[in-house]
Amino acid sequence: MASSLQLPISISSASTSSFRPRNARKFTAFCSVNAKATAKIPIPPINPKDPFLSRLAAVAAKSPETLLNRPPQNSDSLPYLDVFDEPILMATPAQVERSVSYNEHRPRKPPPDLPSLLLHGRIVYIGMPLVPAVTELIVAELMYLQWMDPKQPIYIYINSTGTTRDDGETVGMESEGFAIYDAMMQLKNEIHTVAVGAAIGQACLLLSAGTEGKRFMMPHAKAMIQQPRVPSSGLMPASDVLIRAKEVITNRDILVKLLAKHTGNSEEAVAKVMRRPFYMDSTTAKEFGVIDKILWRGQEKIMADVASPEEWDNKAGVKVVDELGGL
């Protein structure tokens, strides 16, 4: 490197005899200083553990002709890089298939979905309105659980708005709820029903249709019974609307009869409260006969110690006025 810097210095000194610029002396001194400083830079020692040099020495010891008879290469690339094998960034499918460690941890079948995991614990979860797809799945799960073990109980968790949406729009026929109800009645298993969130309309019927003494409700869940609704009939002729209305009345009478059967109330009492939507919290649902117990640790004792609203009114001297205006 020093000799390469000395060449322009000698040329510049030889040319001073014919042409000597004004700053030639300063330029010659500057190049001489740089040449001396460059010549004093030490060469770094060779690292014997360098993987490139080790690989190069191994190739030279094994086959020297590989390095001696090398074709000319592009000057832009560093020499002897081709002695290294190209790194493999991804294994081929055949290599993965032959890998023992991968085969040991590879699942033998697709992972199950959440309903399948719940079904393994004999839990059926109704978390959507009762549309045909939901009814098909629930009935199939009930039949499967009975086939697996007709003596073990089945747990049905309910959080559904029945055959309507939360805004009251009809999304399914009343027969969807009756289909699940009939499947429950045909089972030999003991059925535990639990209301979580809401059990409205046909879902409330399913809640009350569990085995007596095994019908539960979360403390902040809601239950509601109402009359069936007529689906949208804007494109139907008048005669078809009348037929649909008669079918809705028939479904209402069936719903009243079944609720009266499972709640222990008379059909007249059930029909009276169903004239308008009848909402029930966990305490009211227990009093009405929809459920048997409230699922809250210590809730039974707490609710037993709490006085009823009528007792509070009597103790406070409040006189309740009925809807007709009398005392």
Side-chain angles (χ1 to χ4, degrees):
M1 187 177 295
S3 60
S4 62
L5 292 176
Q6 290 177 358
L7 181 60
I9 296 174
S10 60
I11 295 174
S12 60
S13 59
S15 60
T16 53
S17 58
S18 60
F19 176 76
R20 190 176 188 86
R22 181 181 301 178
N23 297 327
R25 183 177 300 176
K26 296 181 179 180
F27 176 76
T28 305
F30 173 76
C31 293
S32 301
V33 172
N34 287 344
K36 293 180 181 179
T38 307
K40 294 181 180 179
I41 297 178
I43 300 176
I46 298 177
N47 183 11
K49 296 182 180 181
D50 188 356
F52 177 76
L53 297 180
S54 301
R55 175 63 177 171
L56 195 62
V59 172
K62 184 177 181 180
S63 55
E65 63 277 0
T66 304
L67 303 179
L68 296 177
N69 302 328
R70 293 175 56 82
Q73 296 181 349
N74 188 5
S75 59
D76 296 336
S77 60
L78 297 178
Y80 302 111
L81 285 181
D82 54 342
V83 299
F84 284 94
D85 297 330
E86 295 182 359
I88 300 177
L89 303 180
M90 181 179 299
T92 61
Q95 293 174 340
V96 173
E97 191 68 26
R98 291 191 300 268
S99 176
V100 178
S101 60
Y102 180 81
N103 287 334
E104 290 178 353
H105 303 284
R106 184 177 58 178
R108 302 301 178 183
K109 57 184 179 179
D113 53 345
L114 185 57
S116 300
L117 295 176
L118 295 177
L119 192 65
H120 182 70
R122 304 188 65 82
I123 296 175
V124 177
Y125 179 60
I126 306 176
M128 296 179 63
L130 301 181
V131 295
V134 176
T135 302
E136 178 185 0
L137 177 62
I138 299 304
V139 173
E141 289 181 342
L142 293 176
M143 293 189 297
Y144 173 77
L145 291 176
Q146 179 185 232
W147 175 78
M148 287 293 295
D149 193 344
K151 297 182 180 180
Q152 292 295 326
I154 299 175
Y155 304 90
I156 302 179
Y157 286 75
I158 302 173
N159 182 21
S160 173
T161 56
T163 55
T164 61
R165 296 192 311 189
D166 53 357
D167 58 357
E169 182 181 354
T170 302
V171 295
M173 299 179 63
E174 299 298 319
S175 58
E176 305 296 339
F178 292 146
I180 300 177
Y181 172 82
D182 291 338
M184 293 172 59
M185 294 298 102
Q186 294 297 323
L187 297 179
K188 301 177 182 179
N189 306 73
E190 190 178 75
I191 300 178
H192 298 203
T193 55
V194 183
V196 290
I200 298 175
Q202 291 279 356
C204 186
L205 172 63
L206 301 180
L207 174 63
S208 64
T211 304
E212 188 175 355
K214 305 297 182 180
R215 302 172 300 176
F216 307 97
M217 196 171 183
M218 294 296 181
H220 301 105
K222 294 290 183 180
M224 189 265 279
I225 54 177
Q226 62 181 354
Q227 297 188 41
R229 297 176 180 270
V230 180
S232 178
S233 56
L235 301 178
M236 292 184 181
S239 58
D240 292 354
V241 173
L242 181 60
I243 294 174
R244 185 67 64 87
K246 291 181 179 179
E247 178 65 20
V248 171
I249 293 175
T250 302
N251 292 333
R252 180 201 63 185
D253 296 339
I254 296 175
L255 183 60
V256 169
K257 185 182 297 185
L258 295 178
L259 284 173
K261 172 185 175 181
H262 293 286
T263 59
N265 298 296
S266 62
E267 294 183 14
E268 292 76 12
V270 175
K272 182 179 180 180
V273 298
M274 278 183 58
R275 292 175 183 173
R276 303 298 298 171
F278 181 56
Y279 286 89
M280 297 172 283
D281 57 8
S282 56
T283 305
T284 307
K286 182 180 178 182
E287 295 174 354
F288 193 75
V290 176
I291 62 171
D292 302 305
K293 296 180 181 180
I294 302 173
L295 285 181
W296 194 356
R297 294 181 179 178
Q299 178 71 7
E300 297 293 335
K301 183 177 183 305
I302 294 175
M303 299 306 298
D305 296 339
V306 175
S308 63
E310 292 77 10
E311 295 178 2
W312 280 98
D313 294 339
N314 294 332
K315 292 179 181 180
V318 177
K319 296 181 179 181
V320 181
V321 180
D322 59 14
E323 296 179 356
L324 299 178
L327 295 177

